[in-house]
């Protein structure tokens, strides 16, 4: 004759964890939800459930091991007493918790509670296009954004102005309903309120009960001097409207800076090419170099090679943290004349002889 241990497929001395693992495996296999209309699986499921109920209770298991009573209680001497009538299907304890996770009952309750929880609105990203010069000096930019916002008519409640949502009469505000599934009562989101716990009897005609509407809002954004291409500016609470009274998301403005025809940006430094004659590069001298603040006189050391970088301090891009500016890096570009006059040719020939 098979025992309750045989029903679960474990040995008599099985630990509590071994019992639970065996029960989970068999319950998942034979649960009515997974075997609709299969009477044999339904009966097997009842047996597995009963076996676990007895063996998972220390007192019932002790009595079963001693007396062989199938209901975990002392029975008549002389052998097992199979009595399903004594089993309390209404008090499943952690068995109900197990099936909540396996077959969605617990998840449904969670969804019902979560549906009533305040939900933060989504963040919204938008690009703002700037000239290179504006990125250096800073500017106030008008940024139009299409957003889901709280309905202007109902203030976000979804109910017609002058009315308010009421407690759902189907679930009494719980957001879930218990639905009988044979031996179990599985919780599902309330079909009337869809898990919200409240219903809107007179929907707002403007937003049709959603409490939100899509519209374009224009924000004035203060672009600080020194922003780079891709700088992200966060405006708290200017994103999508929240739900169920949740806070709004943020608006993230991303700067898109046009390239400069003159400067190459390297962090807070600006690189600019400065033409230098061969004679000045060889003998040294001064040339005019452009900076965002105007031209400056740049000293060219004697013997400067093509590509040499000369630093002009404090004339670069403003630092976003407000601590001064970067530098301008002037790259020497030695100019070789394509045409020379008679006098220049004579001098170059003489130089060639000297060098040769």
């Amino acid at each position: 004759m098979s025992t309750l241990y045989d029903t679960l497929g474990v040995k008599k001395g099985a630990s509590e964890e071994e019992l639970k693992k065996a029960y989970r495996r068999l319950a998942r296999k034979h649960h009515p939800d997974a075997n609709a209309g299969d009477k044999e699986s339904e009966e097997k499921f009842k047996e597995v459930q009963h076996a676990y109920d007895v063996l998972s209770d220390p007192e019932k298991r002790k009595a079963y091991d001693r007396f062989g009573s199938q209901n975990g209680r002392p029975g008549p001497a002389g052998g097992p007493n199979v009595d399903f009538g004594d089993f309390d299907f209404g008090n499943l304890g952690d068995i109900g918790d197990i099936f909540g996770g396996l077959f969605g009952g617990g998840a449904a309750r969670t969804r019902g509670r979560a549906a009533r929880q305040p939900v933060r609105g989504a963040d919204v990203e938008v690009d703002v296009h700037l000239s290179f010069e504006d990125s250096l000096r800073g500017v106030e930019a008008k940024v139009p954004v299409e957003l889901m916002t709280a309905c202007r008519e109902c203030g976000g409640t979804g109910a017609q102005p002058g009315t308010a949502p009421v407690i759902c009469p189907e679930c009494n505000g719980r957001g879930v309903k218990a639905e009988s599934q044979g031996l179990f009562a599985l919780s599902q989101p309330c079909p009337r309120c869809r898990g919200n716990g409240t219903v809107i009897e007179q929907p707002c005609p403007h937003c049709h009960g959603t409490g939100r509407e899509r519209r374009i809002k224009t924000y004035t954004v203060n672009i600080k001097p020194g922003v780079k291409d891709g700088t992200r500016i966060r405006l708290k609470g200017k994103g999508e409207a929240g739900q169920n009274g949740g806070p709004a998301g943020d608006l993230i403005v991303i700067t898109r800076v046009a390239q400069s025809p003159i400067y190459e940006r390297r962090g807070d430094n600006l690189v600019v090419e400065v033409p230098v004659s061969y004679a000045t590069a060889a003998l040294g001298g001064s040339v005019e170099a452009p900076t965002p603040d105007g031209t400056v006189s740049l000293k060219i050391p004697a013997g400067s090679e093509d590509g040499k970088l000369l630093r002009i301090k404090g004339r670069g891009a403003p630092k976003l943290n407000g601590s001064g500016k970067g530098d301008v890096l002037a790259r020497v570009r030695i100019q070789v004349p394509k045409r020379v006059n008679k006098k220049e040719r004579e001098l170059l020939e003489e130089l060639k002889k000297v060098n040769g």
Side-chain angles (χ1 to χ4, degrees), residues 78-99:
N81 177 21
V82 181
D83 182 5
F84 283 87
D86 287 335
F87 179 55
D88 183 5
F89 288 97
N91 182 21
L92 298 177
D94 65 340
I95 300 175
D97 294 337
I98 292 173
F99 280 107

Side-chain angles (χ1 to χ4, degrees), residues 4-45:
L4 298 183
Y5 294 103
D6 295 333
T7 301
L8 292 180
V10 297
K11 295 181 179 179
K12 186 174 181 180
S15 66
E16 182 179 342
E17 186 61 29
E18 289 174 328
L19 288 173
K20 183 172 287 189
K21 285 183 178 179
Y23 172 69
R24 285 177 181 268
R25 176 177 56 81
L26 293 172
R28 186 183 292 111
K29 178 180 179 182
H30 298 291
H31 192 275
D33 285 356
N35 302 275
D38 188 337
K39 295 296 183 181
E40 184 177 344
S41 289
E42 185 176 343
E43 290 302 320
K44 182 65 175 176
F45 177 74

Side-chain angles (χ1 to χ4, degrees), residues 73 79 85 93 137 187 223 235 241 252 345:
R73 300 172 185 171
R137 57 175 171 251
S187 294
I223 308 294
L235 302 182
I252 301 170
R345 178 174 290 279

Side-chain angles (χ1 to χ4, degrees), residues 10 55 61 125 171 189 229 236 255 274 282 297 356:
V10 297
L55 298 181
R61 183 176 181 178
E125 294 185 356
C171 63
D229 184 67
K236 292 284 188 181
T255 57
V274 179
S297 179

